[in-house]
Amino acid sequence: MIQDVLTRFEQYNKEMSPLGDAMDGTKLQAQLQQYKRIRITGNYILPTDIVLYEGMTLLIDQAVVSMAGNIALRGGELHISNSRLVRTSNSHRAGINVHQCGSRVLIENSVIDCAYYGMFLRAEDGVVSVADSTIVRTTKGAAIRFWGERIHVIRCHFRDCYSAESGGALMLRGGQGVVCDNVFEQCEAERGAAIYLSCDIDVTHCTYHECVPKDMPFVRHWRVGGCIDKKGIRVQKERKISQCTAILDCSLEVATGAKLTISDSVIYMNQPIVCYGSLEMHNVKMICGQCEQGDLIRLDHAAFAVLQHCLFDGRNRVGILRATGTRVKIAQCFFANTKGGRAVYNAYASEILDSTFSYCQGGALYMQGGKVIR
């Protein structure tokens, strides 16, 4: 998709009507109505709101733009390349608002400075792609708030992004997409200092510096709604979850032949994980949330399961692991506060190494063969 963005930029650079170094944007809406495709370069002031309707495209290329107004998309396209945008007014909560299906926002190699006047982008529909860009000094909500069709945020740097709600830099509530190779610095929010997700979008290879809360830079909240239907999440192939705080409010099933890997994360379990495939967990803290009975993890004739350096807390409500017909390897794990079920039940020919069981009501282990080694 990024290559597609670059191709579009090159094409529009050649074909669009340039406004050059214009200093007054009051006539921009009329020019868009007339020419449909407009390119802005050089220094530019946008004092009023503009709307990009279907068939309209605005390209901001190698420009410095002062935004007192708002850019709204109702089916049109906005392309920002090699430019700097600075908000100079709080007339709108977000500087860019995407309202309608068919709208596209494509941003590459640019700097967005919201100067603490509000959010950068709010999208309730459409497609958003942001690559190799810097977004700084946002307030009044996440820098990018999205529940549209598709979003890509790749190799970006977010700094000084503040929200009194969830997600300082990114709040993603729906759609599909990818968030990868980003840096989040000094971001702050109530939940998810940098990122808050309540949809099923992959987040990989991101780093967090001086974000608040320090232990919760990335919160993933799985719940029914958006792209997650009432059947919950079903892992069909391979899925990796890492470096996040997760809240599981819907069912999560790993299909036969599929694999789920969870690492370096904290998970609050309001629903169990059911696995028919493979499960690996490394450096995970799993805590019972609103589960009232049963077990946090259910393995049903799964291929295998590996639990290493993990902590499991049943909070005196549930058991931890039911492993029917499944070989399990458990190493350096801590199981605590189980009730109504064993910490590990019905494991088949399994290995348990250097693990601790504390306050396990009803017993710690029930195994069909295998070995337990200190």
Side-chain angles (χ1 to χ4, degrees), residues 104-166:
R104 291 167 61 93
V105 177
L106 309 175
I107 302 169
E108 217 248 350
N109 283 327
S110 295
V111 176
I112 312 297
D113 183 356
C114 289
Y116 302 121
Y117 279 115
M119 301 185 296
F120 166 50
L121 185 146
R122 178 182 178 275
E124 59 190 81
D125 214 325
V127 174
V128 173
S129 176
V130 187
D132 302 301
S133 297
T134 299
I135 299 171
V136 300
R137 301 199 298 172
T138 63
T139 57
K140 299 183 180 179
I144 297 176
R145 190 169 186 168
F146 181 88
W147 62 102
E149 177 186 349
R150 189 171 70 255
I151 183 168
H152 290 159
V153 181
I154 302 171
R155 298 184 301 277
C156 291
H157 186 183
F158 293 82
R159 187 178 73 249
D160 297 328
C161 299
Y162 300 97
S163 173
E165 303 169 349
S166 298

Coordinates of all heavy atoms in Angstrom, one line a residue, residues 104-166:
R104 N -10.2 8.8 1.4 CA -8.8 8.2 1.6 C -7.9 9.3 2.1 O -7.9 10.4 1.6 CB -8.3 7.7 0.3 CG -8.9 6.4 -0.2 CD -8.5 6.1 -1.6 NE -7.1 5.9 -1.7 CZ -6.5 4.7 -1.7 NH1 -7.3 3.6 -1.5 NH2 -5.2 4.5 -1.8
V105 N -7.1 9.0 3.2 CA -6.1 9.9 3.7 C -4.8 9.2 3.6 O -4.6 8.1 4.2 CB -6.4 10.4 5.1 CG1 -5.3 11.2 5.7 CG2 -7.7 11.1 5.3
L106 N -3.8 9.8 2.8 CA -2.5 9.1 2.6 C -1.5 10.1 3.0 O -1.4 11.2 2.4 CB -2.4 8.7 1.1 CG -3.5 7.9 0.5 CD1 -3.3 7.6 -1.0 CD2 -3.7 6.6 1.3
I107 N -0.6 9.8 4.0 CA 0.4 10.7 4.5 C 1.7 10.0 4.5 O 1.8 8.9 4.9 CB 0.0 11.1 5.9 CG1 -1.4 11.8 6.0 CG2 1.1 12.1 6.5 CD1 -1.9 12.0 7.3
E108 N 2.7 10.8 4.0 CA 4.1 10.1 3.9 C 5.2 11.2 4.0 O 5.1 12.3 3.5 CB 4.2 9.5 2.5 CG 5.0 8.2 2.5 CD 6.3 8.3 1.8 OE1 6.5 9.3 1.1 OE2 7.1 7.4 2.0
N109 N 6.2 10.9 4.9 CA 7.3 11.7 5.0 C 6.9 13.2 5.4 O 7.4 14.1 4.9 CB 8.2 11.8 3.8 CG 9.0 10.6 3.6 OD1 9.5 10.0 4.6 ND2 9.2 10.2 2.3
S110 N 6.1 13.3 6.4 CA 5.6 14.6 6.8 C 5.6 14.8 8.4 O 5.8 13.8 9.1 CB 4.1 14.8 6.3 OG 4.1 14.9 4.9
V111 N 5.5 16.0 8.8 CA 5.5 16.4 10.2 C 4.1 17.0 10.5 O 3.8 18.0 9.8 CB 6.6 17.3 10.6 CG1 6.5 17.7 12.1 CG2 8.0 16.6 10.4
I112 N 3.5 16.5 11.5 CA 2.2 17.1 11.9 C 2.3 17.6 13.4 O 2.6 16.8 14.3 CB 1.0 16.0 11.9 CG1 1.1 15.2 10.6 CG2 -0.3 16.7 12.2 CD1 0.8 16.1 9.3
D113 N 2.2 18.9 13.5 CA 2.3 19.5 14.8 C 0.9 20.1 15.2 O 0.5 21.1 14.6 CB 3.3 20.6 14.8 CG 3.6 21.3 16.2 OD1 2.9 20.9 17.1 OD2 4.5 22.1 16.3
C114 N 0.2 19.5 16.2 CA -1.1 20.0 16.6 C -1.0 21.1 17.6 O -2.1 21.6 18.0 CB -2.0 18.8 17.0 SG -2.5 17.7 15.7
A115 N 0.2 21.4 18.1 CA 0.4 22.5 19.0 C -0.6 22.5 20.2 O -0.9 23.6 20.7 CB 0.3 23.8 18.3
Y116 N -1.0 21.4 20.7 CA -1.9 21.2 21.8 C -3.3 21.8 21.6 O -4.0 22.1 22.5 CB -1.3 21.8 23.1 CG 0.1 21.2 23.5 CD1 1.2 22.0 23.6 CD2 0.2 19.8 23.7 CE1 2.4 21.4 23.9 CE2 1.4 19.3 24.0 CZ 2.5 20.1 24.1 OH 3.8 19.5 24.4
Y117 N -3.6 22.0 20.3 CA -5.0 22.5 20.0 C -6.0 21.4 19.9 O -7.2 21.7 19.8 CB -5.0 23.3 18.7 CG -4.5 24.7 18.9 CD1 -3.3 25.1 18.3 CD2 -5.2 25.6 19.6 CE1 -2.8 26.4 18.4 CE2 -4.7 26.9 19.8 CZ -3.6 27.3 19.2 OH -3.1 28.6 19.3
G118 N -5.6 20.1 19.8 CA -6.5 19.0 19.8 C -5.9 17.8 19.1 O -4.7 17.7 19.0
M119 N -6.8 16.9 18.6 CA -6.4 15.7 17.9 C -5.9 16.0 16.5 O -6.2 17.1 15.9 CB -7.5 14.7 17.9 CG -8.1 14.3 19.2 SD -9.3 13.0 19.1 CE -10.6 13.8 18.2
F120 N -5.2 15.1 15.9 CA -4.8 15.2 14.5 C -5.9 14.7 13.5 O -6.4 15.4 12.7 CB -3.5 14.5 14.2 CG -3.2 14.3 12.8 CD1 -3.2 15.4 11.9 CD2 -2.8 13.1 12.2 CE1 -3.0 15.2 10.5 CE2 -2.6 12.9 10.9 CZ -2.6 14.0 10.0
L121 N -6.3 13.5 13.7 CA -7.2 12.9 12.7 C -8.3 12.0 13.4 O -8.0 11.2 14.3 CB -6.4 12.0 11.7 CG -7.2 11.4 10.6 CD1 -6.3 11.3 9.3 CD2 -7.7 10.0 10.9
R122 N -9.5 12.1 12.9 CA -10.7 11.3 13.4 C -11.4 10.7 12.2 O -11.8 11.5 11.3 CB -11.6 12.2 14.2 CG -12.9 11.5 14.8 CD -13.7 12.5 15.5 NE -15.0 12.0 16.0 CZ -16.1 11.8 15.2 NH1 -16.1 12.2 14.0 NH2 -17.2 11.3 15.8
A123 N -11.4 9.4 12.2 CA -12.0 8.7 11.0 C -13.1 7.8 11.4 O -12.8 6.8 12.1 CB -10.9 8.0 10.2
E124 N -14.3 8.0 11.0 CA -15.4 7.1 11.3 C -15.7 6.2 10.1 O -16.6 5.3 10.1 CB -16.7 7.9 11.7 CG -17.1 8.8 10.6 CD -18.2 9.7 11.2 OE1 -17.9 10.7 11.8 OE2 -19.4 9.5 10.9
D125 N -14.9 6.4 9.0 CA -15.1 5.6 7.8 C -13.9 5.8 6.9 O -13.0 6.6 7.3 CB -16.4 6.0 7.0 CG -17.0 4.8 6.3 OD1 -16.2 3.9 5.9 OD2 -18.2 4.7 6.3
G126 N -13.8 5.1 5.8 CA -12.7 5.3 4.9 C -11.4 4.6 5.2 O -11.3 3.8 6.1
V127 N -10.4 5.0 4.4 CA -9.0 4.4 4.5 C -8.0 5.4 4.9 O -8.0 6.5 4.4 CB -8.6 3.8 3.2 CG1 -7.2 3.2 3.2 CG2 -9.6 2.7 2.8
V128 N -7.1 5.1 5.9 CA -6.1 6.0 6.4 C -4.8 5.3 6.3 O -4.6 4.1 6.8 CB -6.4 6.4 7.8 CG1 -5.2 7.2 8.3 CG2 -7.7 7.3 7.9
S129 N -3.8 5.9 5.7 CA -2.4 5.4 5.7 C -1.4 6.5 6.1 O -1.4 7.5 5.5 CB -2.1 4.8 4.3 OG -0.7 4.4 4.2
V130 N -0.6 6.2 7.1 CA 0.4 7.2 7.6 C 1.7 6.4 7.7 O 1.8 5.4 8.4 CB 0.0 7.7 9.0 CG1 1.0 8.9 9.4 CG2 -1.4 8.2 9.0
A131 N 2.7 6.9 7.0 CA 4.0 6.2 6.9 C 5.1 7.2 7.0 O 5.1 8.4 6.5 CB 4.2 5.4 5.6
D132 N 6.2 6.9 7.8 CA 7.4 7.6 7.8 C 7.2 9.1 8.2 O 7.8 10.0 7.7 CB 8.2 7.5 6.5 CG 8.5 6.1 6.1 OD1 9.2 5.4 6.9 OD2 8.1 5.7 5.0
S133 N 6.3 9.3 9.2 CA 5.9 10.6 9.6 C 6.0 10.8 11.1 O 6.1 9.9 11.8 CB 4.5 11.0 9.1 OG 4.4 10.9 7.7
T134 N 6.0 12.1 11.5 CA 6.1 12.5 12.9 C 4.8 13.3 13.3 O 4.5 14.2 12.6 CB 7.4 13.3 13.2 OG1 8.5 12.6 12.8 CG2 7.4 13.7 14.6
I135 N 4.2 12.9 14.4 CA 3.0 13.5 14.9 C 3.3 13.9 16.3 O 3.6 13.1 17.2 CB 1.8 12.6 14.8 CG1 1.6 12.2 13.3 CG2 0.5 13.3 15.3 CD1 0.5 11.2 13.1
V136 N 3.1 15.2 16.6 CA 3.5 15.7 17.9 C 2.4 16.6 18.5 O 1.6 17.2 17.8 CB 4.9 16.5 17.9 CG1 6.0 15.5 17.4 CG2 4.8 17.7 17.0
R137 N 2.5 16.8 19.8 CA 1.7 17.8 20.6 C 0.2 17.7 20.4 O -0.4 18.7 19.9 CB 2.3 19.1 20.4 CG 3.8 19.3 20.8 CD 4.2 20.7 21.0 NE 4.1 21.5 19.8 CZ 4.2 22.8 19.8 NH1 4.5 23.5 20.9 NH2 4.1 23.5 18.7
T138 N -0.4 16.5 20.6 CA -1.9 16.4 20.4 C -2.6 16.3 21.8 O -2.0 15.9 22.8 CB -2.2 15.2 19.6 OG1 -1.8 14.0 20.3 CG2 -1.5 15.2 18.2
T139 N -3.8 16.8 21.8 CA -4.6 16.7 23.1 C -6.1 16.5 22.7 O -6.4 16.3 21.6 CB -4.5 18.1 23.8 OG1 -5.0 19.1 23.0 CG2 -3.1 18.4 24.3
K140 N -6.9 16.4 23.8 CA -8.4 16.3 23.6 C -8.8 14.9 23.1 O -9.9 14.7 22.7 CB -9.0 17.4 22.7 CG -8.8 18.8 23.3 CD -9.4 19.8 22.4 CE -9.2 21.2 22.9 NZ -9.8 22.3 22.1
G141 N -7.9 14.0 23.1 CA -8.2 12.6 22.6 C -7.0 12.1 21.9 O -5.9 12.7 21.8
A142 N -7.1 10.8 21.4 CA -6.0 10.2 20.7 C -5.6 11.0 19.5 O -6.4 11.7 18.8 CB -6.3 8.8 20.3
A143 N -4.3 11.0 19.2 CA -3.8 11.8 18.0 C -4.5 11.3 16.7 O -5.0 12.0 15.9 CB -2.3 11.6 17.8
I144 N -4.7 9.9 16.6 CA -5.5 9.3 15.5 C -6.6 8.5 16.2 O -6.3 7.5 16.9 CB -4.6 8.5 14.6 CG1 -3.6 9.4 13.9 CG2 -5.5 7.7 13.6 CD1 -2.6 8.6 13.0
R145 N -7.8 8.8 15.9 CA -8.9 8.1 16.4 C -9.7 7.5 15.2 O -10.2 8.2 14.4 CB -9.8 9.0 17.2 CG -10.9 8.3 18.0 CD -11.6 9.3 19.0 NE -12.5 8.6 19.8 CZ -13.1 9.2 20.9 NH1 -12.7 10.5 21.2 NH2 -13.9 8.6 21.7
F146 N -9.7 6.1 15.2 CA -10.2 5.5 14.0 C -11.2 4.3 14.2 O -10.9 3.5 15.1 CB -8.9 4.9 13.3 CG -9.2 4.2 12.0 CD1 -9.2 4.9 10.8 CD2 -9.5 2.8 11.9 CE1 -9.5 4.2 9.6 CE2 -9.7 2.2 10.8 CZ -9.8 2.9 9.6
W147 N -12.2 4.3 13.5 CA -13.1 3.1 13.4 C -13.7 3.0 12.0 O -14.9 2.7 11.8 CB -14.2 3.2 14.5 CG -15.2 4.3 14.5 CD1 -16.5 4.3 14.0 CD2 -15.0 5.7 15.0 NE1 -17.1 5.5 14.2 CE2 -16.2 6.3 14.8 CE3 -13.9 6.3 15.5 CZ2 -16.4 7.7 15.1 CZ3 -14.1 7.7 15.9 CH2 -15.3 8.3 15.7
G148 N -12.8 3.2 11.0 CA -13.2 3.2 9.6 C -13.0 1.8 9.0 O -13.1 0.8 9.6
E149 N -12.6 1.8 7.7 CA -12.5 0.6 6.9 C -11.1 -0.1 7.1 O -11.0 -1.3 7.4 CB -12.8 0.9 5.5 CG -12.6 -0.3 4.5 CD -12.8 0.0 3.1 OE1 -13.2 1.1 2.8 OE2 -12.4 -0.8 2.2
R150 N -10.1 0.7 6.9 CA -8.7 0.1 6.9 C -7.7 1.2 7.3 O -7.8 2.4 6.9 CB -8.4 -0.5 5.6 CG -7.1 -1.3 5.6 CD -6.8 -2.0 4.3 NE -6.6 -1.1 3.1 CZ -7.4 -0.8 2.2 NH1 -8.6 -1.3 2.2 NH2 -7.0 0.0 1.2
I151 N -6.7 0.8 8.1 CA -5.7 1.8 8.6 C -4.3 1.1 8.6 O -4.2 0.0 9.0 CB -6.0 2.4 10.0 CG1 -5.0 3.4 10.4 CG2 -6.1 1.3 11.0 CD1 -5.4 4.3 11.6
H152 N -3.3 1.9 8.1 CA -1.9 1.5 8.2 C -1.2 2.6 8.9 O -1.2 3.8 8.4 CB -1.3 1.2 6.8 CG -1.9 0.0 6.1 ND1 -1.8 -0.2 4.8 CD2 -2.5 -1.1 6.6 CE1 -2.4 -1.3 4.5 NE2 -2.8 -1.9 5.6
V153 N -0.4 2.3 9.9 CA 0.5 3.3 10.6 C 1.8 2.6 10.7 O 2.0 1.7 11.5 CB -0.1 3.7 12.0 CG1 0.9 4.7 12.6 CG2 -1.5 4.2 11.9
I154 N 2.8 3.1 9.9 CA 4.0 2.4 9.7 C 5.2 3.3 9.8 O 5.2 4.4 9.2 CB 4.1 1.7 8.3 CG1 2.9 0.7 8.2 CG2 5.4 0.9 8.1 CD1 2.7 0.1 6.8
R155 N 6.2 3.0 10.6 CA 7.5 3.7 10.8 C 7.2 5.2 11.1 O 7.8 6.1 10.6 CB 8.3 3.6 9.5 CG 8.7 2.2 9.2 CD 9.7 2.1 8.0 NE 9.0 2.7 6.8 CZ 8.2 2.0 6.0 NH1 8.0 0.8 6.2 NH2 7.7 2.6 4.9
C156 N 6.3 5.4 12.1 CA 6.0 6.8 12.5 C 6.5 7.0 13.9 O 6.8 6.1 14.7 CB 4.5 7.0 12.4 SG 3.8 7.1 10.8
H157 N 6.6 8.3 14.2 CA 7.1 8.7 15.6 C 6.0 9.6 16.2 O 5.7 10.7 15.6 CB 8.4 9.5 15.4 CG 9.0 9.9 16.8 ND1 10.2 10.6 16.9 CD2 8.7 9.6 18.0 CE1 10.5 10.8 18.1 NE2 9.6 10.2 18.9
F158 N 5.5 9.2 17.3 CA 4.5 10.0 18.0 C 5.1 10.5 19.3 O 5.7 9.8 20.1 CB 3.3 9.1 18.4 CG 2.5 8.7 17.2 CD1 2.9 7.5 16.5 CD2 1.3 9.3 16.8 CE1 2.1 7.1 15.4 CE2 0.6 8.9 15.8 CZ 1.0 7.8 15.0
R159 N 5.0 11.8 19.5 CA 5.6 12.4 20.7 C 4.7 13.4 21.4 O 4.0 14.2 20.7 CB 6.9 13.1 20.4 CG 7.7 13.6 21.6 CD 9.0 14.3 21.2 NE 8.9 15.6 20.6 CZ 9.1 15.8 19.3 NH1 9.5 14.9 18.5 NH2 8.9 17.0 18.8
D160 N 4.6 13.4 22.7 CA 3.8 14.4 23.5 C 2.3 14.3 23.0 O 1.7 15.3 22.7 CB 4.3 15.8 23.3 CG 5.7 15.9 23.9 OD1 6.0 15.2 24.9 OD2 6.5 16.7 23.3
C161 N 1.7 13.1 23.0 CA 0.3 12.9 22.7 C -0.4 12.6 24.0 O -0.1 11.6 24.6 CB 0.2 11.8 21.7 SG 1.1 12.1 20.1
Y162 N -1.4 13.4 24.3 CA -2.1 13.4 25.6 C -3.6 13.2 25.3 O -4.2 13.8 24.5 CB -1.9 14.6 26.4 CG -0.5 14.9 26.7 CD1 0.3 15.8 25.9 CD2 0.2 14.2 27.8 CE1 1.6 16.0 26.2 CE2 1.5 14.5 28.1 CZ 2.2 15.4 27.3 OH 3.5 15.6 27.6
S163 N -4.2 12.3 26.2 CA -5.7 12.1 26.1 C -6.2 11.8 27.5 O -5.6 11.0 28.3 CB -6.0 10.9 25.2 OG -7.4 10.6 25.3
A164 N -7.3 12.4 27.8 CA -8.0 12.1 29.1 C -8.8 10.8 29.0 O -9.4 10.4 30.0 CB -8.9 13.2 29.5
E165 N -8.8 10.2 27.8 CA -9.6 9.0 27.6 C -8.6 7.8 27.4 O -7.6 7.7 28.1 CB -10.5 9.2 26.4 CG -11.5 10.4 26.6 CD -12.2 10.7 25.3 OE1 -11.8 10.2 24.2 OE2 -13.1 11.6 25.3
S166 N -8.9 6.9 26.5 CA -8.1 5.8 26.2 C -7.2 6.0 24.9 O -7.8 6.5 23.9 CB -8.9 4.5 26.0 OG -9.6 4.2 27.2

